[in-house]
Structure formats: C-alpha cells, structure tokens
Amino acid sequence: MNTRSGNHRAPATSRWAQAAERRLTPASWLRAVFRQWPLLLVLLVIAIGAVVVADDHFRRGTFIMAGGVCLAAFLRAVLPSEVAGLLKLRSRFLDILTLGFLGAGTLIACLIVPPPS
C-alpha cells in the first residue's frame, strides 16, 4: 500500500458510503423516528404537562407530567425490548423501578405542595 505516491485510491463509492447514503434518506429517517413511538408518546404527555404548568396550573401540569413518567414505566413493563426503543436503557427491572419511583415521587410532590396564596 503506497499512499505517498498516490497509487492507492479508494473507490469512488465504497460500501460504507453507500450504506450511509441509504441511512440518510428522509423516508428512512422518518421511519427510524416513528419506530421510537413509545418515547415520543411519553415526551408528548410530558410536554403537554409543561404547557399546562406554564399556563399557571402547577398541580394539574405536574400531575400530567407524573402520568407521563408512569406511562413510560408501564410501556417499559409491557412492551418487548425490541419495541421499547429508547425507553430501554438498562435491564427491564431497573428501568421500571427507576421510572416508577420518579413518577410516584413527582405525583406525591404535586399533591403535597400547597397551592399558591
């Protein structure tokens, strides 16, 4: 392999370049995004809760956000690992435990925080 004299040149379209072109089409990107529907659903619920909080309804919005995190725990519990997508971070048990505690803690916090006076 003589790289100094310029005798060795890579082919114009290598196997890796062709694979990268296939992965970067808008249709394949859209399919990849929608394959993550469990995460998108959870993020949508949490975003709705954030909008409700921004509209000056702290308890309702936080309750909705807690529901979104509990929804993530539920989806992680019932969906197979191949479908769970980015909700799958660790083992199923640890994911459910973490999301359950986070959802329950957020729910308890929204219920015990006194309303503004």
Side-chain angles (χ1 to χ4, degrees), residues 6-27:
N7 293 339
H8 176 68
R9 300 193 77 201
T13 55
S14 68
R15 181 177 69 161
W16 298 107
Q18 291 171 355
E21 287 175 10
R22 277 195 312 267
R23 281 185 266 140
L24 296 178
T25 64

Side-chain angles (χ1 to χ4, degrees), residues 5 8 13 19-20 33 35 41 43 54 58 61 64 82 86 90 93 111 113-114 116:
S5 64
H8 176 68
T13 55
V33 168
R35 244 179 292 166
L41 181 64
L43 289 177
F58 176 77
I64 293 170
E82 299 82 32
L86 291 174
R90 301 166 218 80
F93 175 75
L111 294 175
V113 171

Side-chain angles (χ1 to χ4, degrees), residues 44-82:
L44 177 69
V45 172
I46 291 174
I48 290 170
V51 168
V52 172
V53 167
D55 194 34
D56 237 5
H57 299 286
F58 176 77
R59 276 197 174 169
R60 286 183 210 152
T62 310
F63 186 81
I64 293 170
M65 285 198 246
V69 176
C70 291
L71 174 66
F74 174 75
L75 289 174
R76 180 64 178 111
V78 298
L79 292 176
S81 293
E82 299 82 32

